[in-house]
Amino acid sequence: MTATVSDHSSKGRPLLRVGDLARATGKTVRAIHLYEELGLLRPSARSAGGFRLYEPSAAARVRWIDLLHGLGFSLQEMREVLLKWWGAERAPDAMDELRHLFTRKLDETRAAIERHRQLEGELVEALGYLGTCQDCHLEATTAACIRCGRDHGTAHEPALVEGLIQAEPTATRHGPAPPPRAPFVRVEDLDA
Amino acid sequence: MTATVSDHSSKGRPLLRVGDLARATGKTVRAIHLYEELGLLRPSARSAGGFRLYEPSAAARVRWIDLLHGLGFSLQEMREVLLKWWGAERAPDAMDELRHLFTRKLDETRAAIERHRQLEGELVEALGYLGTCQDCHLEATTAACIRCGRDHGTAHEPALVEGLIQAEPTATRHGPAPPPRAPFVRVEDLDA
DNA sequence: TTGCTCCTCACGTCACGTGAGGTGGC
DNA sequence: TTGCTCCTCACGTCACGTGAGGTGGC
């Protein structure tokens, strides 16, 4: 049997080459090679010339890998999930482990959503701050802008902006540390 | 001047050593060293013995790095943010670039939240499916469980479960491909 | 002096990216 | 034969982790 691109799977659908599978899933050929090295995916055949040939269902496996990747699984962890699944026939508690694993990932996903919500808030706050910084014309109340020296009407700088304060590191890697510069001053520090 | 741990910053507060800074921020010493190599953070002084000594405000910078990391910035991108910020005195459009950058990250963060919401849904669906798989007792309607052969009352397997289907790869890395095994059968395939 | 912390290399890890040099398939 | 795709090494990247071997500081 000489395998060619016109080979068909046992279900009558044409087999895919790596490039086809890559395009169908949005992954690179290199990534699919890697999944094979790690035992996550295997071509159902090879052509006479050594080309990998995949069943169309292989795309579901690649999308599954991408899904678990989005959930924070490493490729090794996915390998363990597959091994548990395959072993669940003989070891019923393997299914229990899978459920526990997915339950834990559900908790982590919800925590990630909450974290991103907070980051969203930080960005909105920072953008609002930088926006008023652009056309400074507000009354001074509590804090002077570290950038323009005026007050933006906020009680404190947003965290995303506050971390920008501090002297500029020099490019030298191992030279002596120059004296710290303080180009901007906060009102709180002036009061103290 | 011989610097010791009892050195104090210009604001009268004691200087921190890397270990102190690491504990205060939840980072490792190695990470802080790396931030220095990449120009994101610098000790304000060195002790006579070469120990790094930090102002307490350095912790704000480390937390800022962690914040941007959570937003998907690479350390190199953070470096560029700092350079833009420092350059904004002389180049006013640098501030514009910063705002555009943060605006883009806000979009990305919102997209990430939406993606995680969908992943959350996938997990809930998969857990529901695996839960009924544990004590199979439902009526057959559309799909046979790929695991237990019964029907779980769902129109299709959840994506997280569907990707598990397919033969088990062998451990050999370059051996010939054994014939594909199909331990489980889907109703749709039997109908075709 | 002991114990803890710090120092600087320098290699390992993870999920690929990116060629190098050669070959299959229509 | 041309052009595209595929093959197998094998090294690079990113954000650190993890020692190795030596030293500072109370």
Side-chain angles (χ1 to χ4, degrees):
Chain A
M1 159 191 171
T2 60
T4 72
V5 171
S6 58
D7 270 352
H8 283 63
S9 73
S10 53
K11 290 169 189 168
R13 286 171 294 185
L15 293 175
L16 307 173
R17 300 197 300 190
V18 258
D20 303 323
L21 186 57
R23 267 185 297 277
T25 59
K27 289 289 173 182
T28 63
V29 169
R30 176 72 183 98
I32 293 171
H33 285 172
L34 181 65
Y35 302 157
E36 183 177 347
E37 280 177 40
L38 297 180
L40 294 174
L41 176 71
R42 229 188 19 178
S44 64
R46 291 269 189 160
S47 76
F51 284 27
R52 293 167 176 83
L53 298 174
Y54 297 89
E55 303 280 339
S57 68
R61 171 64 57 80
V62 176
R63 277 188 285 267
W64 178 84
I65 293 169
D66 204 40
L67 197 59
L68 292 216
H69 186 71
L71 289 167
F73 283 80
S74 70
L75 298 181
Q76 283 300 338
E77 284 177 314
M78 294 180 208
R79 174 77 178 141
E80 289 163 26
V81 169
L82 287 175
L83 290 175
K84 284 200 178 85
W85 176 260
W86 291 323
E89 295 161 271
R90 297 170 293 273
D93 53 330
M95 189 61 74
D96 266 346
E97 285 184 54
L98 258 189
R99 264 190 298 269
H100 289 331
L101 195 56
F102 280 2
T103 303
R104 188 157 54 76
K105 285 296 174 181
L106 180 56
D107 290 343
E108 290 174 15
T109 301
R110 285 172 172 159
I113 290 173
E114 183 50 36
R115 202 163 42 81
H116 275 91
R117 284 217 167 289
Q118 294 190 358
L119 292 175
E120 183 189 9
E122 296 283 357
L123 275 171
V124 169
E125 205 184 337
L127 279 168
Y129 188 92
L130 294 181
T132 60
C133 186
Q134 185 169 28
D135 37 28
C136 272
H137 49 58
L138 296 173
E139 300 287 315
T141 51
T142 46
C145 175
I146 55 178
R147 177 96 251 142
C148 64
R150 300 187 196 170
D151 189 297
H152 290 196
T154 58
H156 57 85
E157 277 85 32
L160 265 175
V161 173
E162 198 188 341
L164 289 168
I165 319 171
Q166 235 188 43
E168 175 176 356
T170 54
T172 63
R173 262 175 85 134
H174 295 298
R181 304 185 333 184
F184 304 113
V185 179
R186 301 185 61 188
V187 167
E188 297 94 304
D189 296 331
L190 293 176
D191 289 344
Chain B
M1 158 189 169
T2 61
T4 71
V5 170
S6 59
D7 271 351
H8 282 63
S9 73
S10 54
K11 291 169 188 167
R13 284 170 295 186
L15 293 175
L16 305 174
R17 300 195 300 189
V18 258
D20 302 324
L21 186 57
R23 266 185 298 279
T25 58
K27 288 289 173 184
T28 63
V29 170
R30 177 70 182 98
I32 293 171
H33 285 172
L34 181 65
Y35 301 156
E36 183 177 348
E37 280 176 40
L38 298 180
L40 295 174
L41 176 72
R42 229 188 19 179
S44 64
R46 290 268 190 160
S47 76
F51 284 27
R52 292 168 176 84
L53 299 173
Y54 296 89
E55 302 280 341
S57 68
R61 172 64 57 82
V62 175
R63 278 188 285 265
W64 177 84
I65 293 169
D66 205 39
L67 198 59
L68 292 215
H69 186 72
L71 289 169
F73 283 81
S74 71
L75 298 181
Q76 283 300 338
E77 283 178 313
M78 294 179 208
R79 175 75 177 144
E80 288 163 27
V81 169
L82 287 175
L83 290 175
K84 284 199 178 84
W85 176 261
W86 291 324
E89 296 161 90
R90 296 169 294 272
D93 51 331
M95 188 62 72
D96 267 346
E97 285 184 54
L98 258 189
R99 264 190 300 269
H100 289 332
L101 195 57
F102 281 2
T103 303
R104 188 157 54 77
K105 285 295 173 180
L106 180 56
D107 290 343
E108 290 175 14
T109 301
R110 285 172 173 161
I113 290 172
E114 184 50 37
R115 203 164 42 80
H116 275 92
R117 283 217 166 291
Q118 293 189 358
L119 292 175
E120 182 189 9
E122 296 282 358
L123 276 171
V124 168
E125 205 184 337
L127 280 168
Y129 188 92
L130 294 181
T132 59
C133 187
Q134 186 169 29
D135 37 28
C136 272
H137 49 56
L138 295 173
E139 300 287 315
T141 51
T142 46
C145 174
I146 55 178
R147 176 97 252 138
C148 63
R150 300 188 196 171
D151 188 298
H152 289 196
T154 58
H156 57 85
E157 277 85 33
L160 265 174
V161 173
E162 198 189 340
L164 289 167
I165 318 172
Q166 236 188 41
E168 173 175 357
T170 54
T172 63
R173 264 174 83 135
H174 295 299
R181 303 185 334 181
F184 305 112
V185 179
R186 299 185 63 188
V187 166
E188 298 93 304
D189 296 333
L190 293 175
D191 288 344

